[in-house]
Amino acid sequence: MGAQDEYLRNFCILLTEKGVVPLTDPLQISVYQSLQGGMKRPSDLTAELGLSSSSLHFVIDKMSETGIIDRIKPESDKKTVYYSTNAKILASSTETNDRLKNISEKTFVDPLKNYKGLSSLANMLDCYMSEIGVNIDPLMKKYAEALADSVEINKSGFEDAIMDARDIFAKLTGYNFTLFSSSPLILVLTGDEGVIDRVPTLMHFVTRLIENATGRCYRLTNAESFNGSDTMVKVTLERCERSEEPYMNTANHHKDTERFLMVDVDGSAGLMTSDVQIDIIDSIYERPLCITDIVNKVDAPRSTITSNLLRMVEEGVMSVFYSESGSAYYGLACSILLKKSRPISSDNEELRTVLDSVKDKEGAFMEGQLLYTLAYLKKLGFDSEYLMVVLGAKYMRATGDMGTQGNFDTYFGNMSDIAKAIGLSLNIVSIYPLTIGITSNDPDNEMSQAMTFIKGMAHQGLEMASSGIFVRSTDEKPEGENISFKEIYPALSMTPVKGVMVENLSPTPTTKKRTSSIKTALLNRSKKQNEQAVRTVRYITAGVFAALLLAVIAFGIAGNTDYSDAHTVDLTIDSDLVATVYDADGVALEYPFVLEEGTTVSLVLEEARDIGYVDKGIAYLLEPTDGRVYSLTMNSDLTIEPLTDISYLENPCYDFSIYCSTKTINENDEMTFIGAAEYKQASSGLFVSKNNQVVFLAKEGYTLAYDDGQGNKGLLQSSSPCNISDCDSIEVIEMPVETKKIYIDDGRTYLYGDQKITGELTVQGDTKSVTLKPVNDNTRILVNGKEVYQDHDGGFVIDLQPGEEIHIDSEDGWFH
């Protein structure tokens, strides 16, 4: 990730209703951070961030597509659009410093100084993440809260609760705290040298215990060294109101298909989101490959692969190795930490198992933190095994004899020592191929993460001892695992080539393929405004730019040409479309499609479908000239996207309005929804883009019926929003003669199926029972003043009797 791509090092990873989303654009990060303080109007954001209205709405549109931002109109101000966010932060980039790096270095040299077993691996993980600039405090706090909730603590007064929390804290963490002051609440925490960096997580655990015992909420306001000691910290806790976690609809999490990598490049963490580059890294993860082998493994044109290889080598993500014959091989120069590759899972069994295994175990807080964090990452769709391999390799580099070659015994001795300390045993199964057996000393404990750590150690130690390159394979046995290593490419140089000739990486020019405009592509990449690139292009460095500039000269473009008056426009094709763009001579153009104004091009779809563009919230259908062929005259920037015909929704029993989340709202808009008749007149049809939503309004004498999630269409509403993909589930019926109402007196929000209900609930008169669930699980429900049974998710059933008036109330606290 080169100098011009630093924004990928400024990142955060969010959990939204649409899944796990990587956020790397600085403007999007600034908007998200601003909205964490509460909903805001567009004018508030433009003034706060110093953005123009058009720039803000471009950013907002992108964030809306990924589910980070919601547009709302409060009841108190129906004419004004507000933005809000319910996205939860999982991890983010942060500043590092020499102190954190020194702590990490000492930890890996002597990981057993203050910890034992899996707790030592947890400490390594914490220190390593701080060293490379990754903040995982949200994951740590989630663990602390879950562990506190799983521990039994008696309901009691404040002083007794402090004492009970102290005993539980001491048992699980091995640390101690004393009560320094009750008002304000001040504790003095005693631990090891790194205790001050763990204060946020530890105090979240303590305050959650106090809250569960007393109902009082506290938050950390200050932490400072006590009497100048490195092992004692004075923490101040302030009383606060309990805040309910915003509701997040997880119904679409199983559709989460986002792919990205977290990598360590030259000691600094960053995100990689390019599909092509992720595929390239997958292809070379086990061993270096030549360009032909990479092309055979990656589903992309050779020209695309070679250009990405050039960028990745320039940025230090990959290294070039040379064989004795001079052939180039490409291998990893970075460390893969996490790989997002699967949808989110709804299975929480592994998380519960971790909590059950540590909640009563002495000194198990850090062990549980490691296992819970890795299990939660797995649930979110991450492959976290990479991280444990990296920790093992880093430990071996920190403790191995770097000056010794050909002495694997030294490294194996180091591995055996740490393996024994974390509950594993090592033995040599065979010499050739070298196979190491790993067995657990405690079969009842989960040791798979520790075994993965040992694999990384062994692989790193072997390559340090021999200067060779090895491929690793694992054979799982009932009693443990056997790891085998086979040396490959013994004649390859292990020293990465510092400079790479452009000719060796660039694709061979052909007469039938070229970029759309080398001159204008270079122009757009080099234009700057306030020292920032006008069009940010990922993975472009000074070296690459120089190489491209040589290509410009080779094409005969004069070096003193003034490009400031060039008029170019961009053609963007939605990622859901597979299409080829041709110029007037029938030459296929390659991305980016930067064209001179007035140019006519042909767009050919791989499969016929309705396509068009969106202007001011209204979609316009394009007509093909011949089947799958479209003629486009480029007078301005144009984005082509797939459209959906929703004319089938027209119905005499209800009206509906159409809303588009892209290019719809500006600062002066008072109307975000367009009536279907007005929309149809403007666009000559009812075609919409994939980002649309429809609001239905039943006409007099009719109502909309909704499913409770169990096949019963009992809920009745006069209006409701609906995503385009879910419109088929809408059912309109005649208003029943008899209905029943349930009054929600506590002001809370409840779920009826996927529908959020507040105030009152109307159902059909023949409905026998209703199943509801409070959005906040920690709620004890009262129906007509009597507590009702709730399942493990807080859901409850109300039996409806003829003529009975139902009132729902609630109390904070654990349900039974």
Side-chain angles (χ1 to χ4, degrees):
M1 296 163 198
Q4 297 183 22
D5 206 30
E6 289 181 350
Y7 70 91
L8 282 179
R9 297 187 189 272
N10 180 25
F11 64 85
C12 58
I13 301 173
L14 304 177
L15 178 63
T16 75
E17 292 188 348
K18 295 187 177 181
V20 177
V21 177
L23 203 58
T24 57
D25 183 357
L27 288 179
Q28 293 188 31
I29 293 174
S30 297
V31 170
Y32 171 71
Q33 291 173 340
S34 176
L35 292 179
Q36 283 185 298
M39 64 181 186
K40 295 183 179 180
R41 298 172 300 177
S43 56
D44 298 331
L45 290 171
T46 54
E48 178 182 340
L49 303 178
L51 296 174
S52 66
S53 177
S54 59
S55 297
L56 173 66
H57 290 299
F58 177 79
V59 172
I60 291 292
D61 289 343
K62 293 294 184 183
M63 298 177 74
S64 297
E65 290 175 5
T66 53
I68 300 172
I69 283 183
D70 296 319
R71 292 183 173 94
I72 59 176
K73 286 188 174 184
E75 291 292 334
S76 59
D77 189 4
K78 283 290 189 180
K79 292 186 176 181
T80 304
V81 173
Y82 284 78
Y83 300 132
S84 67
T85 181
N86 287 333
K88 302 173 186 177
I89 191 165
L90 299 173
S92 62
S93 57
T94 186
E95 295 293 329
T96 187
N97 53 53
D98 291 338
R99 183 185 71 85
L100 295 174
K101 292 178 180 178
N102 289 335
I103 291 175
S104 179
E105 181 179 348
K106 292 178 182 179
T107 296
F108 279 89
V109 170
D110 188 7
L112 304 178
K113 180 179 179 180
N114 297 310
Y115 299 93
K116 61 181 180 179
L118 292 179
S119 296
S120 63
L121 299 189
N123 187 42
M124 288 187 204
L125 175 61
D126 277 3
C127 293
Y128 175 61
M129 286 300 189
S130 297
E131 176 189 351
I132 63 175
V134 180
N135 179 6
I136 56 173
D137 281 354
L139 298 179
M140 302 297 100
K141 289 182 178 179
K142 180 175 179 62
Y143 161 69
E145 184 174 309
L147 180 60
D149 290 347
S150 70
V151 173
E152 292 185 7
I153 185 169
N154 295 325
K155 299 289 184 182
S156 61
F158 176 72
E159 292 184 358
D160 290 339
I162 292 289
M163 297 302 102
D164 290 343
R166 180 194 62 184
D167 294 341
I168 295 171
F169 179 78
K171 176 183 177 180
L172 287 174
T173 67
Y175 296 161
N176 291 287
F177 69 75
T178 56
L179 181 63
F180 187 85
S181 167
S182 297
S183 183
L185 180 56
I186 299 177
L187 308 177
V188 175
L189 176 63
T190 303
D192 55 36
E193 292 178 0
V195 68
I196 194 167
D197 296 315
R198 304 193 193 285
V199 163
T201 303
L202 294 174
M203 287 302 101
H204 197 71
F205 177 63
V206 172
T207 56
R208 186 70 171 189
L209 288 173
I210 296 173
E211 179 185 342
N212 292 343
T214 67
R216 296 184 183 182
C217 297
Y218 289 87
R219 63 183 178 89
L220 177 67
T221 58
N222 186 55
E224 58 186 23
S225 176
F226 185 68
N227 290 337
S229 172
D230 292 336
T231 60
M232 299 181 71
V233 183
K234 184 171 75 171
V235 296
T236 303
L237 303 171
E238 182 181 79
R239 186 79 182 269
C240 62
E241 293 294 327
R242 179 175 182 173
S243 59
E244 292 187 4
E245 188 172 273
Y247 168 75
M248 179 176 291
N249 184 0
T250 60
N252 291 321
H253 278 181
H254 67 284
K255 300 178 182 178
D256 174 26
T257 57
E258 191 78 45
R259 284 204 312 160
F260 60 92
L261 298 177
M262 181 186 289
V263 296
D264 174 357
V265 182
D266 298 329
S268 182
L271 295 189
M272 182 177 295
T273 58
S274 164
D275 285 338
V276 172
Q277 296 195 12
I278 291 173
D279 289 340
I280 290 175
I281 284 183
D282 284 344
S283 71
I284 65 168
Y285 179 70
E286 291 188 350
R287 66 181 75 193
L289 296 176
C290 65
I291 181 64
T292 300
D293 291 338
I294 295 174
V295 170
N296 290 336
K297 285 177 172 286
V298 177
D299 184 19
R302 185 185 182 97
S303 59
T304 301
I305 294 172
T306 52
S307 63
N308 276 278
L309 282 174
L310 169 62
R311 296 170 186 175
M312 295 168 77
V313 170
E314 289 276 355
E315 293 142 12
V317 175
M318 295 174 59
S319 292
V320 182
F321 303 86
Y322 286 98
S323 66
E324 292 179 344
S325 64
S327 299
Y329 289 80
Y330 304 97
L332 277 182
C334 66
S335 298
I336 302 175
L337 307 180
L338 295 171
K339 179 181 178 182
K340 179 67 171 68
S341 59
R342 302 182 307 277
I344 298 176
S345 170
S346 59
D347 185 5
N348 293 314
E349 182 61 31
E350 189 171 352
L351 296 177
R352 288 192 288 266
T353 300
V354 170
L355 295 175
D356 289 341
S357 68
V358 301
K359 66 180 182 180
D360 297 318
K361 185 177 179 181
E362 188 170 343
F365 185 88
M366 291 292 287
E367 174 184 330
Q369 179 177 292
L370 173 73
L371 297 177
Y372 188 92
T373 301
L374 296 178
Y376 186 58
L377 289 170
K378 179 180 177 182
K379 169 185 167 64
L380 294 176
F382 287 94
D383 293 329
S384 58
E385 293 83 1
Y386 297 98
L387 187 56
M388 299 309 296
V389 169
V390 171
L391 290 183
K394 183 174 176 63
Y395 168 76
M396 185 53 67
R397 289 195 300 271
T399 59
D401 182 4
M402 300 296 290
T404 302
Q405 298 294 325
N407 185 5
F408 184 68
D409 290 343
T410 301
Y411 300 110
F412 188 78
N414 290 336
M415 285 189 290
S416 297
D417 291 342
I418 190 68
K420 183 178 180 180
I422 61 179
L424 298 174
S425 297
L426 304 185
N427 66 289
I428 301 294
V429 177
S430 68
I431 301 299
Y432 188 83
L434 177 62
T435 302
I436 300 174
I438 310 175
T439 56
S440 173
N441 297 333
D442 186 358
D444 294 332
N445 280 349
E446 169 56 43
M447 300 299 291
S448 60
Q449 302 296 347
M451 289 184 180
T452 305
F453 174 83
I454 297 297
K455 295 174 190 176
M457 288 173 52
H459 203 152
Q460 181 67 54
L462 187 59
E463 293 192 346
M464 289 165 64
S466 65
S467 292
I469 301 175
F470 292 79
V471 62
R472 180 180 71 243
S473 62
T474 300
D475 181 19
E476 295 186 1
K477 302 286 186 180
E479 65 277 7
E481 295 182 355
N482 287 345
I483 322 167
S484 298
F485 298 91
K486 182 179 180 181
E487 188 172 13
I488 58 171
Y489 305 131
L492 291 183
S493 169
M494 280 291 294
T495 305
V497 177
K498 294 183 178 180
V500 182
M501 296 181 64
V502 176
E503 291 79 10
N504 287 342
L505 291 172
S506 298
T508 304
T510 67
T511 57
K512 292 300 292 179
K513 287 240 178 184
R514 58 177 175 82
T515 42
S516 57
S517 171
I518 293 179
K519 177 175 70 174
T520 51
L522 281 174
L523 167 67
N524 285 316
R525 291 180 178 182
S526 61
K527 274 186 180 178
K528 287 192 175 182
Q529 181 177 317
N530 298 326
E531 299 304 317
Q532 296 294 324
V534 176
R535 294 183 65 225
T536 306
V537 180
R538 293 184 173 178
Y539 300 113
I540 273 292
T541 65
V544 178
F545 180 80
L548 291 173
L549 190 58
L550 290 175
V552 174
I553 296 172
F555 272 83
I557 300 174
N560 59 354
T561 304
D562 182 6
Y563 299 135
S564 60
D565 295 329
H567 296 286
T568 61
V569 292
D570 291 342
L571 173 61
T572 303
I573 299 176
D574 189 275
S575 58
D576 287 347
L577 295 174
V578 179
T580 306
V581 179
Y582 297 90
D583 66 9
D585 298 325
V587 177
L589 307 182
E590 294 184 0
Y591 181 83
F593 303 119
V594 185
L595 307 165
E596 293 184 8
E597 188 175 334
T599 300
T600 297
V601 296
S602 296
L603 183 148
V604 181
L605 295 177
E606 186 174 279
E607 295 181 359
R609 61 186 303 181
D610 292 325
I611 64 171
Y613 61 94
V614 177
D615 183 28
K616 297 179 180 179
I618 298 178
Y620 296 89
L621 181 69
L622 290 175
E623 296 292 343
T625 57
D626 182 18
R628 297 176 287 110
V629 181
Y630 296 79
S631 178
L632 307 176
T633 300
M634 299 297 299
N635 294 318
S636 61
D637 292 345
L638 184 63
T639 298
I640 304 297
E641 52 189 294
L643 301 182
T644 300
D645 185 2
I646 61 169
S647 59
Y648 70 91
L649 294 178
E650 292 180 296
N651 191 306
C653 301
Y654 59 74
D655 293 321
F656 65 94
S657 299
I658 301 168
Y659 162 68
C660 182
S661 67
T662 57
K663 304 179 183 178
T664 302
I665 302 175
N666 60 52
E667 196 169 349
N668 300 317
D669 276 340
E670 294 184 358
M671 191 91 171
T672 59
F673 287 88
I674 305 172
E678 179 185 351
Y679 188 101
K680 186 174 183 179
Q681 183 177 5
S683 67
S684 301
L686 284 175
F687 288 88
V688 297
S689 65
K690 60 184 178 183
N691 302 301
N692 282 73
Q693 193 177 63
V694 172
V695 172
F696 293 91
L697 179 63
K699 292 183 178 180
E700 185 175 356
Y702 294 91
T703 185
L704 303 171
Y706 291 89
D707 198 311
D708 63 356
Q710 300 176 2
N712 304 313
K713 290 191 178 292
L715 175 63
L716 306 177
Q717 287 187 317
S718 60
S719 66
S720 177
C722 181
N723 293 326
I724 289 298
S725 57
D726 300 327
C727 286
D728 291 339
S729 63
I730 293 293
E731 182 177 343
V732 60
I733 63 174
E734 292 186 11
M735 177 65 74
V737 176
E738 294 184 7
T739 61
K740 295 178 181 177
K741 289 186 181 293
I742 299 172
Y743 299 94
I744 301 174
D745 298 335
D746 57 8
R748 295 183 186 270
T749 301
Y750 291 82
L751 288 178
Y752 179 97
D754 290 332
Q755 295 291 317
K756 293 182 181 180
I757 306 296
T758 56
E760 65 179 40
L761 170 66
T762 303
V763 297
Q764 298 193 54
D766 59 354
T767 302
K768 302 297 184 184
S769 64
V770 168
T771 301
L772 298 176
K773 177 182 179 297
V775 170
N776 177 18
D777 289 342
N778 187 18
T779 304
R780 186 182 300 119
I781 304 300
L782 304 175
V783 175
N784 289 345
K786 297 181 180 180
E787 186 173 353
V788 298
Y789 171 78
Q790 295 172 252
D791 62 25
H792 66 281
D793 289 326
F796 60 98
V797 178
I798 302 175
D799 293 324
L800 302 180
Q801 304 298 330
E804 182 183 17
E805 193 170 274
I806 301 294
H807 289 265
I808 297 177
D809 209 336
S810 62
E811 297 177 353
D812 288 333
W814 296 107
F815 53 81
H816 303 288

